Amino acid sequence: MVISGTDTDARMRVLVYSDKADTREQVRLAIGRRPAADVPKVEFVECATAPGVLRKLESKDPAERIDVAVFDGEAAPTGGMGLCRQVKDEIFRCPPVLLLVGRRDDGWLATWSQAEQVVSHPIDPVALAESLAELMRQRVAALSG
């Protein structure tokens, strides 16, 4: 990620995990190129499997660093909630995670998973973009400080 006050080409890498291609596409379309005017543009990294997510998050290459992740709580066979809990416990300086849950009542499970933000299915583009933008702001502040 390259970020400076005048850098219009700044990008943040956002990992999107779901076993369903249409869910990953809905996330990409809801977020667009930039979820808010005050955050960098988004470069998407898609994963359809939990091992793929772990490989991306464990990469030591700075050019491949994931800045924020979006996990589908309804993914199978490895759900996003369990995967979120795993990466929060195992990945040093794990990026913030936005969790997509099947029902608003699943919020307590999202708390257990240690996700920083939660949005429920069906995906509300405005809620998703706002939640992701907030995580991106937090990540920029954490990496700048």
Coordinates of all heavy atoms in Angstrom, one line a residue, residues 6 26 69 72 88 94 105-106 116 134:
T6 N -0.9 13.4 -1.2 CA -1.2 13.8 -2.6 C -1.2 12.7 -3.6 O -1.3 12.9 -4.8 CB -0.1 14.8 -3.0 OG1 1.2 14.2 -3.0 CG2 -0.1 16.1 -2.2
Q26 N -20.8 -9.6 -5.8 CA -21.7 -8.6 -5.1 C -20.9 -7.7 -4.2 O -21.1 -6.5 -4.1 CB -22.7 -9.3 -4.2 CG -23.8 -10.0 -5.0 CD -24.8 -10.8 -4.1 OE1 -24.8 -10.5 -2.9 NE2 -25.5 -11.7 -4.7
A69 N -9.8 -7.4 5.1 CA -10.5 -8.6 4.6 C -12.0 -8.6 4.8 O -12.5 -8.0 5.8 CB -9.9 -9.9 5.3
D72 N -17.1 -14.1 4.1 CA -18.5 -14.6 4.0 C -18.7 -15.6 5.1 O -18.2 -16.7 5.1 CB -18.8 -15.2 2.7 CG -20.2 -15.7 2.5 OD1 -21.0 -15.5 3.4 OD2 -20.5 -16.2 1.4
K88 N -7.4 -14.4 13.4 CA -7.2 -13.4 14.5 C -6.3 -14.0 15.6 O -5.5 -13.3 16.2 CB -8.5 -12.9 15.2 CG -9.3 -12.1 14.3 CD -8.6 -10.8 13.9 CE -9.4 -9.9 13.1 NZ -8.8 -8.6 12.9
C94 N -2.8 -9.3 12.2 CA -3.9 -9.6 11.2 C -4.7 -8.4 10.8 O -5.0 -7.5 11.7 CB -4.9 -10.6 11.9 SG -6.2 -11.2 10.8
D105 N -29.3 -11.6 13.6 CA -29.2 -12.2 14.9 C -27.8 -13.0 15.1 O -27.5 -13.4 16.2 CB -30.3 -13.2 15.1 CG -31.7 -12.5 15.2 OD1 -31.7 -11.3 15.5 OD2 -32.7 -13.2 15.0
D106 N -27.0 -13.1 14.1 CA -25.8 -13.8 14.2 C -24.7 -12.8 14.7 O -23.5 -13.2 14.7 CB -25.3 -14.3 12.8 CG -26.1 -15.5 12.4 OD1 -26.7 -16.2 13.2 OD2 -26.2 -15.8 11.1
E116 N -14.0 -7.0 13.2 CA -14.1 -5.6 13.6 C -15.5 -5.0 13.1 O -15.9 -4.0 13.7 CB -13.0 -4.8 13.0 CG -11.7 -5.0 13.7 CD -10.9 -6.3 13.3 OE1 -11.4 -7.0 12.5 OE2 -9.8 -6.5 13.9
E134 N -14.6 2.6 6.9 CA -14.2 2.8 8.3 C -13.0 1.9 8.6 O -12.0 2.4 9.2 CB -15.4 2.5 9.3 CG -15.0 2.7 10.7 CD -14.5 4.1 11.0 OE1 -15.0 5.1 10.4 OE2 -13.7 4.2 11.9

